[in-house]
Amino acid sequence: MFEEAKPAVRPGTRGTADPVKGLLHRHRTLCERAVDPLEIAAGLEAHGITDRTAARFRHRDVFSLAEELYARVPHGGEAAAGAAGEAFAPESASPAQSARPAHRTGTRRLADWMVLTLLPGAVASLTLAGLEHTAGQGHLAVGLAGSLALTGTLAACLRRGPLRAEGRTVPAAGLWVHWLLAYLVCGDGLLDALVTGGPDGPWPATTTPLTALACAVAPAAWCAHLFSVRSRRRLAESHGLADFTAGARPLLLALVALYAGALTALATAANLVFDEDGAPAAIVALGTLFLLARLLTVHGFPHAAATGLAAASAVEVLACASVLAGRFPGCDQLAVPVTHAVQAWGPASVPALACGAAALGLLVHAAVALSRASAHT
């Protein structure tokens, strides 16, 4: 944990006409590389400098302190690059004309990833419809082709757009994600068979929840994009760190609630379309867990995200293991909690509780971590 930075010389003592000079010397690299004062403010906050610390440097908050640091650092390299660009730029090109191609490119990229986020849901729905109308080798072929196509579209969504977190992920997180998805498809049937004394053969599996989650990639990407854009805008308009936090935290909670509502509607619609009696609570809990884990990863907190995913996976593994352990002599009590939960609320209650608790923990952490300015640079 970073401690609040202290000025090299206390303001007001002899020889301290410039209290910011020592701070500028310690953070010169940050100030020289920053493209605007907001980036300096976020960097200072990451080093433990708060608005109270800024007051010791005769500034009302970290933002005004960052503005002075940015103004006092020479940006000769950027100025030279700008002069060279003007020298080789066509004389007829106006700022408005130069902005048009960039605007068109940005709009095209936004449209591309918005369409891309719809593909996983479309592929999953078509695959599930094909599985219901095929049998034998055709059934197997449709399943394999759909799995490969769904994997490819999901990977493309995670490599582009607001869900992109290249170089920030924890390798173990992928293992927990695959386990949670596998349990979503096969876990309820397995746990129900274990509680009733089985399994005596293959247990049932359902792909409808997976289809609902695939369709929820689009609202997840849109919520992540909206959170990023609104947070940066809030950062530009804020007058202090407390002001930014006061706006960023309700925004995060509202978007998570919006996503949970959208996923609930998708899960209910999937059950109606494919005539299945699924448990929306488990789907919503897992989807919300995935969203929060990805937001934390994108904004620089991958280890916290991996911890939440691992915790949910561990609870699901222990639930199945406890039922099996209860079959040994003298170990009957180990299976009692899970057995009672399955008999009272159904096998879907286990993943709902596991993922819901993990998502709640990540939400509390995200409300603190993602409301800091340094998470949005």
Side-chain angles (χ1 to χ4, degrees):
M1 182 177 294
F2 294 103
E3 298 180 356
E4 288 190 4
K6 297 181 179 179
V9 185
R10 292 184 180 179
T13 60
R14 184 167 24 183
T16 60
D18 189 0
V20 183
K21 188 175 182 179
L23 185 67
L24 177 60
H25 178 72
R26 287 196 297 273
H27 299 285
R28 190 171 190 86
T29 302
L30 169 66
C31 298
E32 289 177 346
R33 294 180 178 178
V35 297
D36 55 34
L38 297 177
E39 188 171 345
I40 297 178
L44 293 177
E45 182 204 32
H47 284 82
I49 296 178
T50 64
D51 291 341
R52 182 179 299 177
T53 310
R56 301 174 186 170
F57 296 94
R58 303 173 185 172
H59 284 272
R60 67 180 185 277
D61 52 44
V62 175
F63 282 29
S64 62
L65 176 60
E67 290 176 355
E68 179 179 347
L69 292 173
Y70 183 79
R72 293 176 61 171
V73 172
H75 299 274
E78 295 178 7
E86 292 177 359
F88 288 98
E91 296 181 359
S92 59
S94 65
Q97 291 172 338
S98 301
R100 289 191 194 116
H103 177 71
R104 292 196 198 99
T105 302
T107 304
R108 190 181 306 113
R109 288 179 179 176
L110 179 63
D112 288 345
W113 73 254
M114 289 182 67
V115 173
L116 185 63
T117 58
L118 297 173
L119 291 181
V123 170
S125 300
L126 292 175
T127 301
L128 188 55
L131 291 174
E132 292 187 347
H133 294 85
T134 56
Q137 294 183 349
H139 189 82
L140 179 60
V142 170
L144 290 175
S147 299
L148 292 174
L150 181 58
T151 302
T153 54
L154 284 173
C157 289
L158 297 180
R159 286 198 301 265
R160 300 176 59 185
L163 298 179
R164 179 176 178 270
E166 185 177 355
R168 301 180 182 178
T169 58
V170 176
L175 176 62
W176 311 132
V177 169
H178 284 89
W179 165 262
L180 292 170
L181 291 175
Y183 192 94
L184 183 68
V185 175
C186 307
D188 290 349
L190 173 62
L191 185 59
D192 188 47
L194 290 175
V195 170
T196 56
D200 299 322
W203 56 87
T206 175
T207 55
T208 301
L210 189 61
T211 303
L213 278 182
C215 294
V217 172
W222 298 339
C223 287
H225 174 71
L226 184 59
F227 179 67
S228 178
V229 171
R230 294 296 298 271
S231 295
R232 289 178 180 272
R233 185 179 303 169
R234 181 74 184 180
L235 185 60
E237 297 173 352
S238 297
H239 299 289
L241 298 177
D243 186 24
F244 173 75
T245 300
R249 192 167 293 167
L251 174 63
L252 173 66
L253 298 177
L255 289 177
V256 171
L258 177 63
Y259 174 77
L263 185 51
T264 302
L266 289 172
T268 304
N271 288 332
L272 293 175
V273 171
F274 296 103
D275 195 20
E276 289 193 7
D277 189 17
I283 303 173
V284 173
L286 180 57
T288 305
L289 175 62
F290 282 164
L291 174 67
L292 289 168
R294 197 65 186 181
L295 282 177
L296 286 169
T297 302
V298 168
H299 290 276
F301 303 93
H303 294 284
T307 301
L309 296 172
S313 301
V315 172
E316 293 178 349
V317 171
L318 289 175
C320 295
S322 66
V323 177
L324 288 174
R327 298 179 181 180
F328 290 97
C331 300
D332 300 346
Q333 295 300 317
L334 294 177
V336 170
V338 176
T339 300
H340 285 179
V342 171
Q343 292 174 348
W345 305 309
S349 61
V350 172
L353 292 174
C355 296
L360 182 60
L362 286 189
L363 180 61
V364 173
H365 181 76
V368 176
L370 300 186
S371 62
R372 301 181 63 188
S374 54
H376 302 279
T377 57

PDB file of all heavy atoms in Angstrom, residues 336-372:
ATOM      1  N   VAL A 336     -24.890 -33.237   4.192  1.00  0.00           N
ATOM      2  CA  VAL A 336     -26.181 -32.690   4.617  1.00  0.00           C
ATOM      3  C   VAL A 336     -26.442 -31.286   4.055  1.00  0.00           C
ATOM      4  O   VAL A 336     -27.529 -31.027   3.507  1.00  0.00           O
ATOM      5  CB  VAL A 336     -26.274 -32.695   6.154  1.00  0.00           C
ATOM      6  CG1 VAL A 336     -27.495 -31.907   6.626  1.00  0.00           C
ATOM      7  CG2 VAL A 336     -26.339 -34.116   6.662  1.00  0.00           C
ATOM      8  N   PRO A 337     -25.525 -30.314   4.156  1.00  0.00           N
ATOM      9  CA  PRO A 337     -25.853 -28.963   3.659  1.00  0.00           C
ATOM     10  C   PRO A 337     -26.215 -28.930   2.178  1.00  0.00           C
ATOM     11  O   PRO A 337     -27.217 -28.309   1.788  1.00  0.00           O
ATOM     12  CB  PRO A 337     -24.566 -28.172   3.933  1.00  0.00           C
ATOM     13  CG  PRO A 337     -23.879 -28.908   5.014  1.00  0.00           C
ATOM     14  CD  PRO A 337     -24.189 -30.359   4.772  1.00  0.00           C
ATOM     15  N   VAL A 338     -25.402 -29.593   1.345  1.00  0.00           N
ATOM     16  CA  VAL A 338     -25.670 -29.577  -0.098  1.00  0.00           C
ATOM     17  C   VAL A 338     -26.947 -30.345  -0.408  1.00  0.00           C
ATOM     18  O   VAL A 338     -27.757 -29.912  -1.248  1.00  0.00           O
ATOM     19  CB  VAL A 338     -24.474 -30.151  -0.870  1.00  0.00           C
ATOM     20  CG1 VAL A 338     -24.783 -30.226  -2.362  1.00  0.00           C
ATOM     21  CG2 VAL A 338     -23.233 -29.304  -0.635  1.00  0.00           C
ATOM     22  N   THR A 339     -27.146 -31.486   0.248  1.00  0.00           N
ATOM     23  CA  THR A 339     -28.351 -32.282  -0.006  1.00  0.00           C
ATOM     24  C   THR A 339     -29.611 -31.500   0.341  1.00  0.00           C
ATOM     25  O   THR A 339     -30.591 -31.497  -0.422  1.00  0.00           O
ATOM     26  CB  THR A 339     -28.298 -33.582   0.816  1.00  0.00           C
ATOM     27  OG1 THR A 339     -27.138 -34.333   0.442  1.00  0.00           O
ATOM     28  CG2 THR A 339     -29.529 -34.426   0.556  1.00  0.00           C
ATOM     29  N   HIS A 340     -29.615 -30.825   1.466  1.00  0.00           N
ATOM     30  CA  HIS A 340     -30.783 -30.029   1.860  1.00  0.00           C
ATOM     31  C   HIS A 340     -31.013 -28.877   0.876  1.00  0.00           C
ATOM     32  O   HIS A 340     -32.163 -28.565   0.536  1.00  0.00           O
ATOM     33  CB  HIS A 340     -30.610 -29.489   3.277  1.00  0.00           C
ATOM     34  CG  HIS A 340     -30.801 -30.538   4.324  1.00  0.00           C
ATOM     35  ND1 HIS A 340     -30.665 -30.275   5.680  1.00  0.00           N
ATOM     36  CD2 HIS A 340     -31.130 -31.847   4.240  1.00  0.00           C
ATOM     37  CE1 HIS A 340     -30.907 -31.374   6.371  1.00  0.00           C
ATOM     38  NE2 HIS A 340     -31.184 -32.357   5.528  1.00  0.00           N
ATOM     39  N   ALA A 341     -29.942 -28.244   0.433  1.00  0.00           N
ATOM     40  CA  ALA A 341     -30.089 -27.142  -0.522  1.00  0.00           C
ATOM     41  C   ALA A 341     -30.666 -27.629  -1.842  1.00  0.00           C
ATOM     42  O   ALA A 341     -31.552 -26.980  -2.425  1.00  0.00           O
ATOM     43  CB  ALA A 341     -28.730 -26.473  -0.758  1.00  0.00           C
ATOM     44  N   VAL A 342     -30.207 -28.777  -2.323  1.00  0.00           N
ATOM     45  CA  VAL A 342     -30.713 -29.323  -3.588  1.00  0.00           C
ATOM     46  C   VAL A 342     -32.167 -29.734  -3.450  1.00  0.00           C
ATOM     47  O   VAL A 342     -32.997 -29.492  -4.347  1.00  0.00           O
ATOM     48  CB  VAL A 342     -29.840 -30.508  -4.036  1.00  0.00           C
ATOM     49  CG1 VAL A 342     -30.467 -31.225  -5.224  1.00  0.00           C
ATOM     50  CG2 VAL A 342     -28.438 -30.031  -4.392  1.00  0.00           C
ATOM     51  N   GLN A 343     -32.517 -30.365  -2.329  1.00  0.00           N
ATOM     52  CA  GLN A 343     -33.895 -30.806  -2.132  1.00  0.00           C
ATOM     53  C   GLN A 343     -34.851 -29.624  -1.937  1.00  0.00           C
ATOM     54  O   GLN A 343     -36.026 -29.704  -2.332  1.00  0.00           O
ATOM     55  CB  GLN A 343     -33.962 -31.747  -0.929  1.00  0.00           C
ATOM     56  CG  GLN A 343     -33.262 -33.082  -1.163  1.00  0.00           C
ATOM     57  CD  GLN A 343     -33.223 -33.938   0.092  1.00  0.00           C
ATOM     58  OE1 GLN A 343     -33.523 -33.473   1.204  1.00  0.00           O
ATOM     59  NE2 GLN A 343     -32.862 -35.206  -0.065  1.00  0.00           N
ATOM     60  N   ALA A 344     -34.376 -28.546  -1.349  1.00  0.00           N
ATOM     61  CA  ALA A 344     -35.246 -27.402  -1.078  1.00  0.00           C
ATOM     62  C   ALA A 344     -35.361 -26.463  -2.272  1.00  0.00           C
ATOM     63  O   ALA A 344     -36.462 -25.999  -2.605  1.00  0.00           O
ATOM     64  CB  ALA A 344     -34.735 -26.641   0.145  1.00  0.00           C
ATOM     65  N   TRP A 345     -34.257 -26.176  -2.939  1.00  0.00           N
ATOM     66  CA  TRP A 345     -34.250 -25.158  -3.996  1.00  0.00           C
ATOM     67  C   TRP A 345     -33.815 -25.681  -5.358  1.00  0.00           C
ATOM     68  O   TRP A 345     -33.814 -24.923  -6.325  1.00  0.00           O
ATOM     69  CB  TRP A 345     -33.330 -23.999  -3.597  1.00  0.00           C
ATOM     70  CG  TRP A 345     -33.675 -23.394  -2.265  1.00  0.00           C
ATOM     71  CD1 TRP A 345     -34.900 -22.964  -1.860  1.00  0.00           C
ATOM     72  CD2 TRP A 345     -32.788 -23.170  -1.168  1.00  0.00           C
ATOM     73  NE1 TRP A 345     -34.848 -22.472  -0.592  1.00  0.00           N
ATOM     74  CE2 TRP A 345     -33.548 -22.584  -0.129  1.00  0.00           C
ATOM     75  CE3 TRP A 345     -31.431 -23.395  -0.950  1.00  0.00           C
ATOM     76  CZ2 TRP A 345     -32.998 -22.235   1.095  1.00  0.00           C
ATOM     77  CZ3 TRP A 345     -30.875 -23.043   0.271  1.00  0.00           C
ATOM     78  CH2 TRP A 345     -31.656 -22.475   1.274  1.00  0.00           C
ATOM     79  N   GLY A 346     -33.422 -26.934  -5.442  1.00  0.00           N
ATOM     80  CA  GLY A 346     -32.992 -27.475  -6.720  1.00  0.00           C
ATOM     81  C   GLY A 346     -31.480 -27.421  -6.879  1.00  0.00           C
ATOM     82  O   GLY A 346     -30.796 -26.663  -6.169  1.00  0.00           O
ATOM     83  N   PRO A 347     -30.932 -28.212  -7.798  1.00  0.00           N
ATOM     84  CA  PRO A 347     -29.466 -28.242  -7.974  1.00  0.00           C
ATOM     85  C   PRO A 347     -28.883 -26.923  -8.465  1.00  0.00           C
ATOM     86  O   PRO A 347     -27.703 -26.641  -8.243  1.00  0.00           O
ATOM     87  CB  PRO A 347     -29.256 -29.360  -9.009  1.00  0.00           C
ATOM     88  CG  PRO A 347     -30.570 -29.481  -9.719  1.00  0.00           C
ATOM     89  CD  PRO A 347     -31.618 -29.158  -8.708  1.00  0.00           C
ATOM     90  N   ALA A 348     -29.694 -26.087  -9.128  1.00  0.00           N
ATOM     91  CA  ALA A 348     -29.184 -24.803  -9.616  1.00  0.00           C
ATOM     92  C   ALA A 348     -28.907 -23.815  -8.498  1.00  0.00           C
ATOM     93  O   ALA A 348     -28.260 -22.786  -8.732  1.00  0.00           O
ATOM     94  CB  ALA A 348     -30.176 -24.193 -10.599  1.00  0.00           C
ATOM     95  N   SER A 349     -29.357 -24.128  -7.280  1.00  0.00           N
ATOM     96  CA  SER A 349     -29.110 -23.206  -6.168  1.00  0.00           C
ATOM     97  C   SER A 349     -27.628 -23.162  -5.798  1.00  0.00           C
ATOM     98  O   SER A 349     -27.139 -22.126  -5.321  1.00  0.00           O
ATOM     99  CB  SER A 349     -29.929 -23.640  -4.946  1.00  0.00           C
ATOM    100  OG  SER A 349     -29.555 -24.945  -4.517  1.00  0.00           O
ATOM    101  N   VAL A 350     -26.908 -24.266  -6.031  1.00  0.00           N
ATOM    102  CA  VAL A 350     -25.480 -24.292  -5.672  1.00  0.00           C
ATOM    103  C   VAL A 350     -24.671 -23.320  -6.527  1.00  0.00           C
ATOM    104  O   VAL A 350     -23.950 -22.475  -5.995  1.00  0.00           O
ATOM    105  CB  VAL A 350     -24.931 -25.726  -5.760  1.00  0.00           C
ATOM    106  CG1 VAL A 350     -23.408 -25.735  -5.591  1.00  0.00           C
ATOM    107  CG2 VAL A 350     -25.577 -26.602  -4.695  1.00  0.00           C
ATOM    108  N   PRO A 351     -24.744 -23.389  -7.872  1.00  0.00           N
ATOM    109  CA  PRO A 351     -24.006 -22.390  -8.656  1.00  0.00           C
ATOM    110  C   PRO A 351     -24.526 -20.974  -8.461  1.00  0.00           C
ATOM    111  O   PRO A 351     -23.755 -20.009  -8.550  1.00  0.00           O
ATOM    112  CB  PRO A 351     -24.179 -22.858 -10.104  1.00  0.00           C
ATOM    113  CG  PRO A 351     -25.398 -23.699 -10.096  1.00  0.00           C
ATOM    114  CD  PRO A 351     -25.397 -24.373  -8.751  1.00  0.00           C
ATOM    115  N   ALA A 352     -25.824 -20.834  -8.187  1.00  0.00           N
ATOM    116  CA  ALA A 352     -26.360 -19.489  -7.952  1.00  0.00           C
ATOM    117  C   ALA A 352     -25.751 -18.867  -6.698  1.00  0.00           C
ATOM    118  O   ALA A 352     -25.347 -17.694  -6.693  1.00  0.00           O
ATOM    119  CB  ALA A 352     -27.882 -19.547  -7.833  1.00  0.00           C
ATOM    120  N   LEU A 353     -25.648 -19.657  -5.628  1.00  0.00           N
ATOM    121  CA  LEU A 353     -25.062 -19.147  -4.392  1.00  0.00           C
ATOM    122  C   LEU A 353     -23.555 -18.934  -4.542  1.00  0.00           C
ATOM    123  O   LEU A 353     -23.018 -17.920  -4.075  1.00  0.00           O
ATOM    124  CB  LEU A 353     -25.341 -20.130  -3.242  1.00  0.00           C
ATOM    125  CG  LEU A 353     -26.807 -20.248  -2.801  1.00  0.00           C
ATOM    126  CD1 LEU A 353     -26.966 -21.358  -1.775  1.00  0.00           C
ATOM    127  CD2 LEU A 353     -27.300 -18.928  -2.219  1.00  0.00           C
ATOM    128  N   ALA A 354     -22.883 -19.875  -5.197  1.00  0.00           N
ATOM    129  CA  ALA A 354     -21.425 -19.768  -5.350  1.00  0.00           C
ATOM    130  C   ALA A 354     -21.051 -18.555  -6.193  1.00  0.00           C
ATOM    131  O   ALA A 354     -20.215 -17.730  -5.794  1.00  0.00           O
ATOM    132  CB  ALA A 354     -20.875 -21.049  -5.974  1.00  0.00           C
ATOM    133  N   CYS A 355     -21.670 -18.436  -7.356  1.00  0.00           N
ATOM    134  CA  CYS A 355     -21.338 -17.321  -8.250  1.00  0.00           C
ATOM    135  C   CYS A 355     -21.881 -16.004  -7.725  1.00  0.00           C
ATOM    136  O   CYS A 355     -21.260 -14.947  -7.916  1.00  0.00           O
ATOM    137  CB  CYS A 355     -21.882 -17.598  -9.649  1.00  0.00           C
ATOM    138  SG  CYS A 355     -21.146 -19.042 -10.452  1.00  0.00           S
ATOM    139  N   GLY A 356     -23.035 -16.052  -7.057  1.00  0.00           N
ATOM    140  CA  GLY A 356     -23.591 -14.831  -6.506  1.00  0.00           C
ATOM    141  C   GLY A 356     -22.721 -14.252  -5.404  1.00  0.00           C
ATOM    142  O   GLY A 356     -22.495 -13.037  -5.347  1.00  0.00           O
ATOM    143  N   ALA A 357     -22.214 -15.112  -4.522  1.00  0.00           N
ATOM    144  CA  ALA A 357     -21.340 -14.633  -3.453  1.00  0.00           C
ATOM    145  C   ALA A 357     -20.033 -14.089  -4.019  1.00  0.00           C
ATOM    146  O   ALA A 357     -19.528 -13.047  -3.574  1.00  0.00           O
ATOM    147  CB  ALA A 357     -21.061 -15.762  -2.460  1.00  0.00           C
ATOM    148  N   ALA A 358     -19.462 -14.797  -5.009  1.00  0.00           N
ATOM    149  CA  ALA A 358     -18.225 -14.323  -5.626  1.00  0.00           C
ATOM    150  C   ALA A 358     -18.444 -13.003  -6.360  1.00  0.00           C
ATOM    151  O   ALA A 358     -17.598 -12.099  -6.305  1.00  0.00           O
ATOM    152  CB  ALA A 358     -17.678 -15.381  -6.593  1.00  0.00           C
ATOM    153  N   ALA A 359     -19.580 -12.882  -7.059  1.00  0.00           N
ATOM    154  CA  ALA A 359     -19.880 -11.627  -7.760  1.00  0.00           C
ATOM    155  C   ALA A 359     -20.064 -10.474  -6.780  1.00  0.00           C
ATOM    156  O   ALA A 359     -19.625  -9.342  -7.047  1.00  0.00           O
ATOM    157  CB  ALA A 359     -21.140 -11.807  -8.613  1.00  0.00           C
ATOM    158  N   LEU A 360     -20.688 -10.745  -5.643  1.00  0.00           N
ATOM    159  CA  LEU A 360     -20.862  -9.692  -4.632  1.00  0.00           C
ATOM    160  C   LEU A 360     -19.510  -9.230  -4.099  1.00  0.00           C
ATOM    161  O   LEU A 360     -19.275  -8.026  -3.904  1.00  0.00           O
ATOM    162  CB  LEU A 360     -21.746 -10.199  -3.495  1.00  0.00           C
ATOM    163  CG  LEU A 360     -22.059  -9.209  -2.373  1.00  0.00           C
ATOM    164  CD1 LEU A 360     -22.785  -7.984  -2.922  1.00  0.00           C
ATOM    165  CD2 LEU A 360     -22.884  -9.877  -1.282  1.00  0.00           C
ATOM    166  N   GLY A 361     -18.607 -10.187  -3.862  1.00  0.00           N
ATOM    167  CA  GLY A 361     -17.274  -9.814  -3.403  1.00  0.00           C
ATOM    168  C   GLY A 361     -16.520  -8.976  -4.425  1.00  0.00           C
ATOM    169  O   GLY A 361     -15.876  -7.980  -4.078  1.00  0.00           O
ATOM    170  N   LEU A 362     -16.613  -9.366  -5.712  1.00  0.00           N
ATOM    171  CA  LEU A 362     -15.958  -8.586  -6.759  1.00  0.00           C
ATOM    172  C   LEU A 362     -16.601  -7.215  -6.924  1.00  0.00           C
ATOM    173  O   LEU A 362     -15.920  -6.238  -7.242  1.00  0.00           O
ATOM    174  CB  LEU A 362     -16.000  -9.339  -8.094  1.00  0.00           C
ATOM    175  CG  LEU A 362     -15.063 -10.526  -8.241  1.00  0.00           C
ATOM    176  CD1 LEU A 362     -15.078 -11.026  -9.688  1.00  0.00           C
ATOM    177  CD2 LEU A 362     -13.639 -10.181  -7.833  1.00  0.00           C
ATOM    178  N   LEU A 363     -17.908  -7.134  -6.707  1.00  0.00           N
ATOM    179  CA  LEU A 363     -18.586  -5.844  -6.822  1.00  0.00           C
ATOM    180  C   LEU A 363     -18.097  -4.881  -5.745  1.00  0.00           C
ATOM    181  O   LEU A 363     -17.872  -3.692  -6.017  1.00  0.00           O
ATOM    182  CB  LEU A 363     -20.100  -6.041  -6.712  1.00  0.00           C
ATOM    183  CG  LEU A 363     -20.954  -4.771  -6.811  1.00  0.00           C
ATOM    184  CD1 LEU A 363     -20.749  -4.086  -8.160  1.00  0.00           C
ATOM    185  CD2 LEU A 363     -22.434  -5.103  -6.604  1.00  0.00           C
ATOM    186  N   VAL A 364     -17.923  -5.376  -4.534  1.00  0.00           N
ATOM    187  CA  VAL A 364     -17.411  -4.528  -3.456  1.00  0.00           C
ATOM    188  C   VAL A 364     -16.002  -4.055  -3.784  1.00  0.00           C
ATOM    189  O   VAL A 364     -15.662  -2.868  -3.606  1.00  0.00           O
ATOM    190  CB  VAL A 364     -17.433  -5.295  -2.117  1.00  0.00           C
ATOM    191  CG1 VAL A 364     -16.740  -4.491  -1.023  1.00  0.00           C
ATOM    192  CG2 VAL A 364     -18.866  -5.608  -1.705  1.00  0.00           C
ATOM    193  N   HIS A 365     -15.169  -4.973  -4.286  1.00  0.00           N
ATOM    194  CA  HIS A 365     -13.798  -4.592  -4.640  1.00  0.00           C
ATOM    195  C   HIS A 365     -13.789  -3.615  -5.812  1.00  0.00           C
ATOM    196  O   HIS A 365     -13.024  -2.646  -5.818  1.00  0.00           O
ATOM    197  CB  HIS A 365     -12.996  -5.844  -4.991  1.00  0.00           C
ATOM    198  CG  HIS A 365     -11.569  -5.558  -5.338  1.00  0.00           C
ATOM    199  ND1 HIS A 365     -10.613  -5.265  -4.396  1.00  0.00           N
ATOM    200  CD2 HIS A 365     -10.933  -5.504  -6.539  1.00  0.00           C
ATOM    201  CE1 HIS A 365      -9.455  -5.046  -4.985  1.00  0.00           C
ATOM    202  NE2 HIS A 365      -9.614  -5.187  -6.291  1.00  0.00           N
ATOM    203  N   ALA A 366     -14.635  -3.877  -6.815  1.00  0.00           N
ATOM    204  CA  ALA A 366     -14.672  -3.003  -7.990  1.00  0.00           C
ATOM    205  C   ALA A 366     -15.181  -1.615  -7.632  1.00  0.00           C
ATOM    206  O   ALA A 366     -14.733  -0.617  -8.209  1.00  0.00           O
ATOM    207  CB  ALA A 366     -15.552  -3.621  -9.069  1.00  0.00           C
ATOM    208  N   ALA A 367     -16.120  -1.527  -6.679  1.00  0.00           N
ATOM    209  CA  ALA A 367     -16.639  -0.220  -6.283  1.00  0.00           C
ATOM    210  C   ALA A 367     -15.538   0.660  -5.704  1.00  0.00           C
ATOM    211  O   ALA A 367     -15.590   1.890  -5.799  1.00  0.00           O
ATOM    212  CB  ALA A 367     -17.765  -0.390  -5.265  1.00  0.00           C
ATOM    213  N   VAL A 368     -14.519   0.038  -5.127  1.00  0.00           N
ATOM    214  CA  VAL A 368     -13.387   0.795  -4.573  1.00  0.00           C
ATOM    215  C   VAL A 368     -12.322   1.013  -5.648  1.00  0.00           C
ATOM    216  O   VAL A 368     -11.859   2.135  -5.866  1.00  0.00           O
ATOM    217  CB  VAL A 368     -12.787   0.064  -3.358  1.00  0.00           C
ATOM    218  CG1 VAL A 368     -11.557   0.788  -2.844  1.00  0.00           C
ATOM    219  CG2 VAL A 368     -13.825  -0.073  -2.248  1.00  0.00           C
ATOM    220  N   ALA A 369     -11.933  -0.075  -6.331  1.00  0.00           N
ATOM    221  CA  ALA A 369     -10.803  -0.001  -7.277  1.00  0.00           C
ATOM    222  C   ALA A 369     -11.150   0.805  -8.518  1.00  0.00           C
ATOM    223  O   ALA A 369     -10.322   1.612  -8.988  1.00  0.00           O
ATOM    224  CB  ALA A 369     -10.377  -1.412  -7.667  1.00  0.00           C
ATOM    225  N   LEU A 370     -12.332   0.621  -9.081  1.00  0.00           N
ATOM    226  CA  LEU A 370     -12.686   1.273 -10.332  1.00  0.00           C
ATOM    227  C   LEU A 370     -13.209   2.695 -10.136  1.00  0.00           C
ATOM    228  O   LEU A 370     -13.533   3.368 -11.119  1.00  0.00           O
ATOM    229  CB  LEU A 370     -13.721   0.445 -11.090  1.00  0.00           C
ATOM    230  CG  LEU A 370     -13.287  -0.973 -11.458  1.00  0.00           C
ATOM    231  CD1 LEU A 370     -14.325  -1.655 -12.322  1.00  0.00           C
ATOM    232  CD2 LEU A 370     -11.926  -0.969 -12.162  1.00  0.00           C
ATOM    233  N   SER A 371     -13.323   3.131  -8.909  1.00  0.00           N
ATOM    234  CA  SER A 371     -13.710   4.526  -8.664  1.00  0.00           C
ATOM    235  C   SER A 371     -12.493   5.412  -8.435  1.00  0.00           C
ATOM    236  O   SER A 371     -12.641   6.575  -8.057  1.00  0.00           O
ATOM    237  CB  SER A 371     -14.643   4.608  -7.447  1.00  0.00           C
ATOM    238  OG  SER A 371     -13.995   4.147  -6.277  1.00  0.00           O
ATOM    239  N   ARG A 372     -11.294   4.857  -8.678  1.00  0.00           N
ATOM    240  CA  ARG A 372     -10.071   5.641  -8.590  1.00  0.00           C
ATOM    241  C   ARG A 372      -9.689   6.145  -9.968  1.00  0.00           C
ATOM    242  O   ARG A 372      -9.882   5.457 -10.973  1.00  0.00           O
ATOM    243  CB  ARG A 372      -8.939   4.797  -8.009  1.00  0.00           C
ATOM    244  CG  ARG A 372      -9.224   4.248  -6.618  1.00  0.00           C
ATOM    245  CD  ARG A 372      -8.033   3.459  -6.118  1.00  0.00           C
ATOM    246  NE  ARG A 372      -6.850   4.302  -5.967  1.00  0.00           N
ATOM    247  CZ  ARG A 372      -5.640   3.840  -5.696  1.00  0.00           C
ATOM    248  NH1 ARG A 372      -5.456   2.544  -5.576  1.00  0.00           N
ATOM    249  NH2 ARG A 372      -4.629   4.668  -5.571  1.00  0.00           N
TER     250      ARG A 372
END
